Amino acid sequence: MTDVVTAGISLRHGGVSRAPYTSLNLAEHVGDDESAVAANRDMLFQQANLKNLHYCCQIHSASVIDIDNGAGTIPEDPPEADALVSTDRETALGIFTADCVPIFILDHATPAIGIAHAGWRGTFARIAVNTLAQMKASFGTLATNCQIHLGPSIQKCCYTVSTELLDQFAERFGSTVHDGKNLSLQDANLNQLVEAGLPPTSISVSPLCTACRTDLFYSHRAENGRTGRMLSFIQLNAGS
Ligand SMILES: [Zn+2]
């Protein structure tokens, strides 16, 4: 993005977790050794210079939390939601993925940030647009002031779903979101954001497919559900 924010996604290398979580697994809920996850988090937070990390207990919903109301205090039990928004410079926002689409939002003007976890359920429920709507309600964010990135996630090449689901997505987001067999979560998110007023030129999409590239990423589908999670993070830089 720009020097206003620090944002990124971890790869699966360089950590201490053992198979099937090899090796930089950052999520506690997948069955990995807790001390390995803690060590991995310490490494990443130091390298990326992340401050207080807020994350949620992800439930494939379209729920968004504005964390500015308790900023600085990290709840012991993360709240159930799939997106977070903030204007606080002391806070990093994070979501975990292994195929789902991480959506990074920067409102340059305010400045404010958001991050969302969009699998097929969240995408279908328009979590990207909901996150923007929460930023508008909380901070006055305008879509035209935003830059959005859809990070590495499972792409159309590998995402075969039922005909019924393809039809539901086509009805909601347009026939271009599938090829008759496979679904593009990227296009479904892109189309809903453009419909919400984002200029297409303000949205970038990673071409990397997590299921094709298990050398770099965790993939829930390619690894039959037994794998780790990457962390996507975004943080406003001090003085921005
Ligand atoms: Zn692929």
Side-chain angles (χ1 to χ4, degrees):
M1 286 186 171
T2 73
D3 56 2
V4 176
V5 290
T6 298
I9 182 169
S10 60
L11 301 179
R12 68 183 298 167
H13 303 301
V16 299
S17 294
R18 298 182 173 184
Y21 311 105
T22 318
S23 61
L24 192 69
N25 169 48
L26 295 158
E28 288 167 333
H29 67 277
V30 292
D32 193 3
D33 177 49
E34 280 183 22
S35 61
V37 176
N40 289 340
R41 286 187 180 179
D42 282 348
M43 266 189 277
L44 178 72
F45 290 9
Q46 276 186 22
Q47 283 185 16
N49 197 23
L50 298 181
K51 298 172 185 165
N52 298 316
L53 181 78
H54 276 259
Y55 56 97
C56 35
C57 175
Q58 299 170 189
I59 53 172
H60 293 281
S61 70
S63 299
V64 186
I65 292 181
D66 169 4
I67 63 96
D68 278 12
N69 288 323
T73 54
I74 308 286
E76 199 153 309
D77 294 314
E80 290 190 343
D82 287 275
L84 298 163
V85 301
S86 180
T87 58
D88 182 23
R89 289 182 175 78
E90 297 302 315
T91 295
L93 309 180
I95 53 118
F96 302 102
T97 62
D99 284 342
C100 295
V101 186
I103 301 176
F104 303 81
I105 305 177
L106 169 63
D107 161 9
H108 293 276
T110 301
I113 51 176
I115 197 161
H117 157 248
W120 76 259
R121 289 183 185 82
T123 299
F124 192 72
R126 293 194 171 91
I127 191 166
V129 171
N130 278 9
T131 309
L132 270 180
Q134 184 63 57
M135 291 173 74
K136 184 175 186 182
S138 292
F139 319 128
T141 292
L142 300 177
T144 47
N145 289 331
C146 289
Q147 188 177 350
I148 294 188
H149 182 67
L150 309 184
S153 42
I154 194 165
Q155 305 255 349
K156 193 156 71 176
C157 44
C158 294
Y159 199 42
T160 306
V161 300
S162 70
T163 308
E164 189 185 17
L165 197 61
L166 291 177
D167 289 345
Q168 289 175 4
F169 267 80
E171 195 175 319
R172 186 164 288 195
F173 302 116
S175 59
T176 57
V177 300
H178 71 76
D179 60 7
K181 183 175 172 220
N182 289 5
L183 177 65
S184 169
L185 290 175
Q186 293 74 25
D187 284 345
N189 281 292
L190 191 72
N191 290 0
Q192 65 182 265
L193 286 165
V194 170
E195 195 180 290
L198 260 293
T201 51
S202 299
I203 308 168
S204 56
V205 182
S206 169
L208 292 168
C209 172
T210 45
C212 285
R213 296 300 305 271
T214 51
D215 57 323
L216 295 176
F217 303 110
Y218 297 114
S219 170
H220 189 270
R221 178 167 283 216
E223 298 175 88
N224 299 315
R226 294 247 310 147
T227 192
R229 297 289 182 275
M230 288 85 72
L231 177 72
S232 292
F233 52 88
I234 186 166
Q235 172 180 283
L236 281 173
N237 290 333
S240 59

